[in-house]
Amino acid sequence: MEFKNTSEFAKSLDAKDKLAAYKNEFIFPVINQKEVIYFTGNSLGLQPKRSQKFVNDVMNDWGGLAVEGHFKAEKPWWDYHERLAAPLAKVVGAKPEEVTVMNTLTVNLHLLMVSFYRPTKKRYKIICEEKAFPSDQYMLASQARFHGFDPKDVIVEVKKRAGEHSWRTEDVVKTIEEVGDELALVLIGGVNYYNGQVFDMQKITEAGKKQGAFVGWDLAHAAGNIKLELHNWNVDFAAWCSYKYMNSGPGNASGIYVNEQYLGRKDIPRFEGWWGTKKETRFLMEPEFDPMSNAEAWQISNAPVMAMAPYLASLSLFDEVDMDALIDKSKLLTAYLEFILEAIDAELGTSNTFEIITPKDRGCQLSVFLHGQGKALFDYLMENGVITDWREPNVIRLAPTPFYNSFEEMYRFGQILKQGILGN
Ligand SMILES: *Cc1c(COP(=O)(O)O)cnc(C)c1O
């Protein structure tokens, strides 16, 4: 399709957009009496209007039924979390039994490492990407120390090549082969938070497993953003937060995936609690732990229902729309934003005004490296009703999300950006 940097053209794309009406399902912040152009769905997704009802329902049941709500609420609390598994499994390409919701992301990665990082004297190394999200770096280093190792001996970072902005799959695979039978675990962010790159999860998973290692993925920036096929890719485990593209609210509960080959087993080390034991016998309060035959075996505590409610609300939107339709729009919207950025750069004439550092293997995020303007431009955008995200040293991240961003906003953003650069 040939794009044009005009308001009419952008509106014509909106007119053809089958998901356009979903914008009305979300609540937008207002700056200077106008709804913002929101580019930070990769950091905190907007609030779906319907989530308030889901939360209120739980509040009302709690008020009206108190402890009886566990079994008598309209959506009983004792198995409330079960409702999330099927729609969430569709989002990440898994079987419903491979997925559950519990705790928060870094906590879940730690818990999954209890099962899937079992270092021995010979096989103890972990491969991750250089400059992984800080929480992941701290997690991996603390796990290495917990097992009595020096993180420097354990963690092997795959580096980008000098002068390049993204990782090459061949370099990841080569590192995996080099570490070989010393490799215990590969754990990488499936979509990099900084440059927006999508790793070739299928190839990397295959390469890691060929060396006899476990392979897991941190899908914080992937869930709800890109096409995932965790089951078909034979991924061992994964976890993701729900407050970025999944729109479930600040700091909200995390999803996990565990491959079906590990389900229903008692021989896998795990930190266990009563919500992981078989629900049929749970309330007999027996001393023996009998794991649930699905990913819920990794659940420890009874589910935080107040956190599940907005996640369930958000999943009902994903279920209506389905990932393929979201991804189709996402690709077009992001391509249009890229076109607008390039058009503005060309119009301004000063080459090197800014540079998109996100590779073509991407979700909806474009990371833009600013060569001139820096933080002042970010502040200008905010004052003019565009919420973006600033990362040191000089990067603005823009994530047009297919649920609630329009093509017309991409055009309008381009005009505001141009003014911001000319005026700064
Ligand atoms: C957002 C993000 C996190 C956040 O972890 P929490 O435990 O939810 O605070 C972790 N890892 C990655 C890669 C992220 O993008």
Side-chain angles (χ1 to χ4, degrees):
M1 182 186 309
E2 200 169 321
F3 291 139
K4 291 194 192 113
N5 184 16
T6 65
S7 171
E8 298 72 51
F9 182 80
K11 284 179 181 157
S12 77
L13 289 178
D14 282 326
K16 277 182 269 176
D17 172 15
K18 291 193 200 79
L19 304 187
Y22 278 90
K23 198 176 184 46
N24 294 323
E25 292 278 347
F26 292 86
I27 302 173
F28 286 75
V30 170
I31 295 180
N32 297 332
Q33 285 99 51
K34 268 176 60 189
E35 284 188 355
V36 299
I37 300 176
Y38 195 71
F39 275 122
T40 42
N42 58 348
S43 184
L44 182 72
L46 290 180
Q47 183 183 128
K49 288 176 184 166
R50 65 178 72 173
S51 62
Q52 297 190 357
K53 178 182 182 321
F54 280 66
V55 174
N56 281 340
D57 285 350
V58 177
M59 293 298 281
N60 291 337
D61 285 337
W62 177 24
L65 297 167
V67 72
E68 293 284 274
H70 281 299
F71 296 101
K72 294 195 176 150
E74 196 196 312
K75 297 187 182 82
W77 305 330
W78 85 291
D79 60 3
Y80 196 98
H81 57 278
E82 289 179 9
R83 295 171 178 79
L84 287 81
L88 193 49
K90 281 203 253 169
V91 172
V92 298
K95 298 186 175 183
E97 57 269 30
E98 292 174 316
V99 166
T100 194
V101 176
M102 59 190 210
N103 311 310
T104 45
L105 173 55
T106 310
V107 171
N108 283 341
L109 288 171
H110 273 298
L111 291 174
L112 289 163
M113 282 184 75
V114 170
S115 302
F116 297 107
Y117 180 56
R118 306 290 301 155
T120 62
K121 264 206 180 100
K122 180 150 173 43
R123 192 184 275 282
Y124 58 93
K125 291 195 175 169
I126 301 172
I127 288 179
C128 65
E129 73 280 36
E130 77 171 323
K131 297 211 175 90
F133 191 85
S135 197
D136 298 33
Q137 293 185 45
Y138 308 145
M139 171 191 64
L140 295 179
S142 65
Q143 283 275 344
R145 284 193 301 270
F146 172 75
H147 285 284
F149 293 95
D150 183 341
K152 283 204 296 294
D153 300 328
V154 166
I155 295 164
V156 181
E157 295 184 346
V158 181
K159 307 228 181 298
K160 292 178 236 172
R161 296 191 188 182
E164 296 187 3
H165 290 301
S166 47
W167 289 264
R168 296 195 191 189
T169 305
E170 63 200 88
D171 292 350
V172 183
V173 170
K174 188 159 158 270
T175 308
I176 287 171
E177 287 166 359
E178 279 167 8
V179 177
D181 59 8
E182 290 181 347
L183 183 62
L185 174 67
V186 179
L187 182 49
I188 296 176
V191 175
N192 183 257
Y193 79 99
Y194 189 79
N195 72 352
Q197 172 178 6
V198 178
F199 281 85
D200 188 333
M201 289 181 245
Q202 184 171 18
K203 253 205 189 120
I204 293 169
T205 300
E206 198 184 304
K209 296 189 66 97
K210 207 165 142 197
Q211 299 301 325
F214 288 116
V215 182
W217 294 94
D218 178 340
L219 300 177
H221 279 262
N225 176 22
I226 61 164
K227 178 89 178 163
L228 293 166
E229 292 190 69
L230 298 181
H231 180 82
N232 290 339
W233 296 339
N234 204 19
V235 168
D236 290 313
F237 71 95
W240 53 93
C241 54
S242 61
Y243 47 81
K244 291 174 180 167
Y245 296 104
M246 299 295 306
N247 309 321
S248 87
N252 205 4
S254 154
I256 68 158
Y257 154 91
V258 178
N259 188 283
E260 69 178 348
Q261 65 187 290
Y262 307 113
L263 302 181
R265 282 169 52 175
K266 290 188 185 177
D267 61 336
I268 293 179
R270 213 174 8 226
F271 285 170
E272 294 169 339
W274 72 323
W275 236 245
T277 198
K278 281 247 163 68
K279 67 177 185 184
E280 292 77 14
T281 50
R282 185 174 301 158
F283 296 102
L284 301 178
M285 308 299 201
E286 304 271 322
E288 180 83 5
F289 181 89
D290 190 9
M292 289 285 294
S293 56
N294 56 22
E296 290 177 35
W298 275 262
Q299 280 188 148
I300 295 178
S301 298
N302 75 103
V305 175
M306 218 67 84
M308 300 286 149
Y311 201 171
L312 187 59
S314 168
L315 282 168
S316 73
L317 285 164
F318 278 91
D319 219 34
E320 271 172 45
V321 171
D322 127 346
M323 278 312 292
D324 288 335
L326 274 175
I327 289 166
D328 283 348
K329 176 173 174 188
S330 174
K331 286 189 172 149
L332 193 62
L333 191 61
T334 305
Y336 189 54
L337 174 61
E338 178 179 46
F339 166 81
I340 297 276
L341 286 166
E342 285 167 356
I344 301 286
D345 201 37
E347 232 179 279
L348 289 168
T350 47
S351 57
N352 284 343
T353 307
F354 45 77
E355 177 187 355
I356 297 171
I357 60 169
T358 302
K360 294 288 177 191
D361 296 329
R362 66 192 184 198
C364 71
Q365 175 182 323
L366 293 180
S367 300
V368 182
F369 192 94
L370 303 173
H371 287 285
Q373 312 75 18
K375 194 98 191 286
L377 180 61
F378 167 81
D379 293 337
Y380 177 89
L381 292 174
M382 185 67 95
E383 282 155 23
N384 287 277
V386 183
I387 302 189
T388 65
D389 166 287
W390 174 262
R391 293 286 126 159
E392 297 296 335
N394 232 15
V395 167
I396 282 181
R397 298 186 305 171
L398 304 166
T401 69
F403 256 132
Y404 47 74
N405 284 110
S406 68
F407 292 89
E408 194 272 334
E409 286 173 334
M410 303 305 111
Y411 168 76
R412 222 166 356 112
F413 164 70
Q415 297 304 302
I416 297 169
L417 180 70
K418 192 163 78 178
Q419 273 313 310
I421 291 174
L422 289 173
N424 269 286

